[in-house]
Amino acid sequence: MKQTLQLKTSQQLTLTPQLQQSIKLLQMSTLDLGSELERYLLENPLLERADSTDSPGSDAGPATTSIPVDSPRESSSEPDNREHDNSREDGELLGDWGSSSGGSRGDDDEFDPILNTPCRPSLREHLTAQMGEIQLSVRDKALMSLLIDELDDDGYLPTPLAELAAELPLELEVETGELECLRKLLTQFDPTGIGSRDLREFLIHQLQQHSAPSAVLQLAQNMVKNHLDLLGNRDFAKLKKLLIVDEVQLKAAHTLIASLRPRPSSGFDQGETHYVAPDVLVIKRQRRWIARLNQGTLPRLQVNQMYANMLQQKGNSHNLGGQLQEARWLVKNIQQRFDTILKVAESIIERQQAFFEQGEVAMRPLILRDIAEELGLHESTISRVTTQKYLLCSRGLFELKYFFGSSVDTDSGGECSATAIKALIRQILETEDANKPLSDGAIADKLTAQGIQVARRTVAKYREAMQIPPVSQRKAF
């Protein structure tokens, strides 16, 4: 086979480091951007805050204090010479399964009151503290900690105890009955019913400690134990027939059940708090709504001119040429990031003037392509700009992507956005007769009467997206 030499030309798109940095900064939220810039300031000596020369100490930037909360630790009030038994060995074996990860706080001569502000304990800390107040062996404490760790975010214990027992080391000889005894003890902790298996058991725990009249209480317990599904579907006619009660008795029991808590962990925040800083402020000028960048979120960075001049005079003798170029790129990309955000926000606000005047019902249909074509940008750029970027106006705080939505044709030949349709559905349901709630088909008919052609299944989809229950569950008693 004869060997030949051939030349081919091809095109390949390569992202330069500057472009990669620009894309990375553009898709960040304002708070993430602040953290990223702090890292650049620490790593690059050629980068500084623009106002660092105006006031001493201003280059430190806004401080963010993280307040650690120590986990409750077990009391060591028991004497050291107590009899050694197998429970201590069990506790050591269970260490990886149910031990508390409490951190010890070192003694510090400098007391900072900001770091010692009171913080509401988590549900786990609250339960662990109660566990330390009762007499339990080391083994039982370890198993109880295991059960506490298995609680879900709602405070239920959905994992089968047999499954938990099977996962423990065989030498512990933990039986399901032992875990069930500890689980029942856990349900007596505060809040009442914590560790229940499901809603039915949790409601029963609450009713057992309620001070309602005995007749109402017994009827409510019967409804929860045997007819919770009918109660959830609000099938009151069938309940009256099965329980052989009148409407007054059924209403009293229903009111009692409705007053109970739906989740054992109610009142304890299990999630992480997320903070949002608005990037754009919307104000009204001469009867038009316009966008302004939030000056409080704008980073003021610059290249250290003294170091830059030294590098130009002495060359790259200190190997800082790359950091100088990086600093210049960063300053330019940050400015470009906020310019792009402002342009996109101005285009959105100009198209959604009616929303800022009248609210959701006046929202116009808008897609990413509309803004991309107007500004000469790619749709992916618009997507990055509108994600985790927020707008603050007189109607509240909104993510920029909130103003985008699909359209539905109207009888007049126009278009109506999905957001506006949801608002209209909410308005219709707010004025419906609670004794005769509207079905999805009836809601669709009312929208048709207003010139908006929407199918029943579309109404159902929007209603579910707004977490509005179906007609059977909205019916009044």
Side-chain angles (χ1 to χ4, degrees):
M1 183 175 181
K2 185 178 180 179
Q3 294 182 348
T4 59
L5 183 64
Q6 294 180 345
L7 296 177
K8 293 183 178 180
T9 60
S10 61
Q11 293 182 345
Q12 183 177 2
L13 180 62
T14 302
L15 295 179
T16 64
Q18 183 179 4
L19 183 57
Q20 292 177 2
Q21 184 188 73
S22 176
I23 294 174
K24 179 182 178 181
L25 295 177
L26 186 61
Q27 64 189 11
M28 283 184 174
S29 67
T30 299
L31 296 182
D32 291 339
L33 175 66
S35 301
E36 184 71 6
L37 296 185
E38 290 295 334
R39 184 182 67 82
Y40 276 112
L41 286 168
L42 290 174
E43 296 178 355
N44 195 333
L46 293 169
L47 195 65
E48 66 178 3
R49 297 186 184 277
D51 55 351
S52 60
T53 58
D54 298 337
S55 58
S58 60
D59 56 341
T64 302
T65 304
S66 178
I67 304 176
V69 180
D70 292 338
S71 300
R73 289 167 288 179
E74 294 181 7
S75 173
S76 57
S77 58
E78 297 183 7
D80 294 336
N81 58 353
R82 60 187 175 183
E83 182 180 358
H84 178 76
D85 54 15
N86 292 332
S87 63
R88 178 175 295 276
E89 297 177 0
D90 293 340
E92 294 174 355
L93 286 171
L94 282 164
D96 293 337
W97 294 88
S99 60
S100 301
S101 57
S104 59
R105 183 173 53 200
D107 295 333
D108 192 352
D109 295 335
E110 297 182 2
F111 176 77
D112 188 353
I114 297 180
L115 297 179
N116 289 271
T117 53
C119 182
R120 181 177 177 83
S122 66
L123 177 60
R124 187 187 189 284
E125 293 167 340
H126 183 61
L127 297 174
T128 305
Q130 296 178 72
M131 184 177 64
E133 297 173 357
I134 59 179
Q135 294 294 330
L136 289 175
S137 65
V138 176
R139 174 188 174 91
D140 287 344
K141 283 186 177 181
L143 292 175
M144 180 71 81
S145 296
L146 170 63
L147 296 180
I148 293 175
D149 288 338
E150 287 295 323
L151 297 176
D152 62 17
D153 292 341
D154 292 331
Y156 291 107
L157 186 62
T159 308
L161 297 182
E163 180 179 321
L164 290 179
E167 292 178 353
L168 295 173
L170 294 177
E171 56 266 31
L172 291 176
E173 299 180 353
V174 176
E175 297 181 356
T176 305
E178 184 179 6
L179 292 177
E180 178 61 21
C181 290
L182 290 172
R183 189 191 72 84
K184 289 183 178 180
L185 176 60
L186 179 62
T187 60
Q188 304 303 315
F189 283 20
D190 176 60
T192 300
I194 191 73
S196 297
R197 295 195 176 281
D198 50 32
L199 176 62
R200 188 190 310 273
E201 183 182 354
F202 177 51
L203 294 177
I204 291 174
H205 275 293
Q206 294 181 79
L207 290 172
Q208 289 174 346
Q209 298 190 6
H210 209 283
S211 59
S214 59
V216 177
L217 199 57
Q218 290 177 5
L219 180 57
Q221 290 176 338
N222 187 6
M223 291 170 62
V224 170
K225 289 180 181 179
N226 305 311
H227 308 291
L228 190 59
D229 294 339
L230 292 176
L231 185 63
N233 293 328
R234 304 178 71 86
D235 193 346
F236 301 121
K238 193 169 184 179
L239 281 172
K240 285 193 294 184
K241 184 180 298 185
L242 290 173
L243 298 172
I244 315 177
V245 293
D246 57 27
E247 186 171 336
V248 176
Q249 294 172 310
L250 188 62
K251 186 174 183 179
H254 174 263
T255 302
L256 173 58
I257 297 172
S259 67
L260 302 178
R261 293 181 293 118
R263 298 185 301 118
S265 63
S266 298
F268 290 89
D269 185 11
Q270 299 293 96
E272 181 182 355
T273 301
H274 298 278
Y275 297 92
V276 171
D279 302 87
V280 177
L281 306 178
V282 181
I283 58 177
K284 195 171 187 179
R285 289 288 185 270
Q286 298 179 353
R287 299 183 180 181
R288 298 292 294 178
W289 295 94
I290 59 175
R292 291 287 183 268
L293 288 176
N294 182 5
Q295 296 298 320
T297 62
L298 295 179
R300 295 174 174 83
L301 300 181
Q302 65 182 14
V303 177
N304 188 303
Q305 198 59 42
M306 181 180 68
Y307 287 159
N309 293 336
M310 291 175 59
L311 286 175
Q312 290 177 356
Q313 295 174 2
K314 299 182 180 181
N316 194 19
S317 58
H318 298 284
N319 197 28
L320 295 176
Q323 291 181 312
L324 175 60
Q325 186 63 46
E326 182 186 61
R328 288 173 174 169
W329 284 350
L330 183 64
V331 172
K332 181 179 179 180
N333 286 334
I334 290 175
Q335 181 62 45
Q336 183 178 355
R337 174 187 187 273
F338 283 95
D339 288 344
T340 305
I341 291 175
L342 181 59
K343 288 180 181 179
V344 173
E346 287 175 338
S347 180
I348 292 174
I349 294 170
E350 183 61 31
R351 291 169 177 264
Q352 300 291 3
Q353 288 284 320
F355 166 81
F356 298 101
E357 289 288 345
Q358 305 171 31
E360 292 179 328
V361 293
M363 183 79 80
R364 291 182 55 190
L366 184 64
I367 58 176
L368 296 177
R369 186 186 306 168
D370 296 336
I371 305 298
E373 291 178 352
E374 178 181 338
L375 300 180
L377 300 173
H378 196 272
E379 289 184 41
S380 62
T381 302
I382 305 300
S383 177
R384 293 188 183 97
V385 171
T386 55
T387 301
Q388 292 186 315
K389 314 300 186 301
Y390 293 86
L391 173 153
L392 180 64
C393 64
S394 59
R395 295 190 176 274
L397 183 69
F398 302 92
E399 190 175 11
L400 289 182
K401 66 166 44 180
Y402 168 79
F403 295 92
F404 294 87
S406 57
S407 62
V408 174
D409 296 333
T410 62
D411 290 345
S412 60
E415 293 180 333
C416 185
S417 71
T419 304
I421 295 175
K422 290 179 182 179
L424 291 172
I425 292 175
R426 192 181 299 111
Q427 287 184 357
I428 292 173
L429 294 181
E430 287 175 353
T431 58
E432 71 175 351
D433 186 356
N435 295 317
K436 296 180 179 180
L438 298 172
S439 64
D440 295 335
I443 297 173
D445 293 339
K446 284 185 173 292
L447 290 174
T448 301
Q450 299 182 33
I452 302 174
Q453 294 286 349
V454 180
R456 183 199 59 79
R457 60 180 179 275
T458 304
V459 173
K461 181 180 70 173
Y462 290 163
R463 175 182 53 73
E464 292 172 357
M466 293 185 290
Q467 297 184 345
I468 297 176
V471 58
S472 61
Q473 298 181 18
R474 298 200 311 273
K475 186 176 182 181
F477 190 88

